[in-house]
Amino acid sequence: MSAGLIGCMTTPAQGSMIPPAAEYACDNGKFGQGWPGHDAWYAWLKRTVQRYGPGRCLWAVAPDVPFDAAGTLSESLPWLARIRALGIPAAFAAQDGCDLLGLPWNDFDVLFLAGSTEWKIGPAAERLAREAQARGKSVHMGRVNSLRRMGIAEWFGCDSADGTYLAFGPDKNLPRLLRWVDELDRHPSLFAAVHADARATGHTVIDTPPSWLIHPKPHPGATLSTNANTGAPPGPDGRYVHGHAVLHLTDQLNASESYEHAAALTDQVLHPTDGLLERLSDFFEAAAEKAKDSELDDGFDLYDDFEDAAAAVRGLGEDLHMAVDRIRALGSPPRPSQQPHAADHGAAVTALPPQPASPATSPGRSR
């Protein structure tokens, strides 16, 4: 980050330090369990901007209601002008259906493509992204953790993106991330910073996840075991032991008697660094390299096919990155419904004009 290769995403719950000279963006913690409340969030945002300077801040996301377009519109409107008043660009989190309600275009600087995966990479989000560009605004896409998703974001014209991919195993995943960027025809637009001068530097914004995104340790009885110590039946000819190990895991899931146990078994497949999907992605990438080493035309074709397979499998893990916690929550007693707290700042707050453009602060990227 200090070298200028990537930027830093921060949230109220993280408590992380922004590395020297690194650009940063401020998420609000609404997606997950890091939301501290309106007053505490805004106080944190003011402290962060004062500590690290508005010139290094790419933008801050106004409070939103994940996956709820109407709720987000009501929640965000009172805060967009207050974010701008800190001398930083204000980002509006677009949710499923917001294209039907309309967006407060004059009140924000950065369109943040949030919402569900299906909506975020679909035609409605693409239309909004292109309209934002036509209006002179920057576009950011959240939860981008695969080459395939990067390609979609770049096709939409996104200026930047974030994801948790780098945070889980940076030594291993940083070279891969940089290779993905290089593979996108050597265009820096996807991970460019939100202003024009930063486009030429190839800065990126990668989310360093708060603690709620760290996957819990597997259930003690949920290890992915092999036939040698479980008694799981091998294949008919004894050859396909790995496939039958997964089949044994499926049998364990079918027999699980609690959602806690089911979640731990699912974590064996979905864990972002040690899960089955990540290992399968590694396998396809190794197969791709092996095929390319042949230096034959069909070997290069196979390389592309295996790389696409690796990206697709990794994309599944990305799409299901909250599934373990969601399964676990199925076993928890429902919480009493609460009316959402609305900050009493009045909907008539006049939005300040956009901040003057400069190489350090002009507007141009988590979820």
Side-chain angles (χ1 to χ4, degrees):
M1 292 181 183
S2 296
L5 296 176
I6 60 174
C8 179
M9 179 74 71
T10 186
T11 72
Q14 283 177 259
S16 56
M17 300 281 291
I18 307 298
E23 292 181 308
Y24 66 97
C26 299
D27 204 350
N28 55 42
K30 278 277 193 168
F31 185 72
Q33 302 173 2
W35 173 244
H38 295 87
D39 293 338
W41 161 75
Y42 192 68
W44 164 82
L45 181 61
K46 288 177 64 177
R47 290 195 306 270
T48 301
V49 173
Q50 290 169 357
R51 180 173 185 178
Y52 299 107
R56 292 164 57 191
C57 184
L58 302 177
W59 38 260
V61 187
D64 62 310
V65 182
F67 314 113
D68 184 342
T72 291
L73 190 62
S74 175
E75 181 85 347
S76 295
L77 277 175
W79 296 99
L80 294 168
R82 298 189 68 182
I83 292 173
R84 283 176 164 177
L86 297 177
I88 59 176
F92 178 81
Q95 312 285 351
D96 303 44
C98 68
D99 52 307
L100 304 177
L101 297 178
L103 276 68
W105 290 107
N106 293 330
D107 298 326
F108 67 87
D109 309 294
V110 180
L111 178 67
F112 187 124
L113 296 177
S116 68
T117 297
E118 293 76 11
W119 182 86
K120 180 176 57 183
I121 63 175
E126 180 181 358
R127 288 195 299 271
L128 287 177
R130 302 200 185 282
E131 181 175 355
Q133 296 161 50
R135 292 172 176 267
K137 300 182 185 297
S138 295
V139 183
H140 176 87
M141 183 180 285
R143 298 202 313 275
V144 173
N145 294 303
S146 67
L147 176 59
R148 174 178 173 271
R149 189 66 55 81
M150 285 185 184
I152 293 172
E154 186 167 57
W155 172 253
F156 284 11
C158 294
D159 299 279
S160 57
D162 80 281
T164 57
Y165 179 75
L166 182 61
F168 293 108
D171 291 342
K172 168 187 172 183
N173 291 334
L174 178 58
R176 182 179 292 157
L177 174 63
L178 297 178
R179 190 188 73 203
W180 290 350
V181 176
D182 184 63
E183 287 179 5
L184 290 174
D185 295 328
R186 300 181 181 274
H187 294 314
S189 60
L190 174 64
F191 284 121
V194 294
H195 45 73
D197 285 353
R199 281 177 182 258
T201 69
H203 289 185
T204 67
V205 181
I206 300 295
D207 185 9
T208 302
S211 58
W212 60 268
L213 280 179
I214 303 237
H215 286 240
K217 293 182 179 180
H219 188 281
T223 54
L224 177 59
S225 46
T226 63
N227 297 328
N229 57 16
T230 66
D237 57 4
R239 292 165 56 193
Y240 299 104
V241 294
H242 303 292
H244 279 262
V246 178
L247 181 60
H248 182 58
L249 180 67
T250 303
D251 291 339
Q252 288 182 280
L253 180 61
N254 287 331
S256 61
E257 297 181 353
S258 71
Y259 285 112
E260 177 68 28
H261 191 206
L265 290 163
T266 305
D267 188 48
Q268 292 288 335
V269 176
L270 299 180
H271 192 277
T273 56
D274 297 314
L276 177 62
L277 291 185
E278 180 61 21
R279 296 286 77 80
L280 189 56
S281 298
D282 291 341
F283 180 87
F284 281 133
E285 289 182 337
E289 293 298 328
K290 183 63 68 176
K292 187 173 66 172
D293 288 345
S294 71
E295 298 186 354
L296 300 174
D297 288 344
D298 193 47
F300 287 109
D301 289 341
L302 271 173
Y303 171 84
D304 291 335
D305 291 342
F306 280 130
E307 281 291 321
D308 287 345
V313 171
R314 191 166 281 119
L316 288 175
E318 175 186 345
D319 294 343
L320 294 170
H321 77 288
M322 292 294 290
V324 173
D325 289 336
R326 291 173 67 186
I327 290 178
R328 182 175 287 106
L330 296 175
S332 302
R335 291 177 294 181
S337 60
Q338 297 178 349
Q339 295 297 322
H341 173 67
D344 186 18
H345 295 286
V349 175
T350 303
L352 299 179
Q355 299 302 309
S358 71
T361 62
S362 58
R365 170 272 108 131
S366 155
R367 265 176 253 218

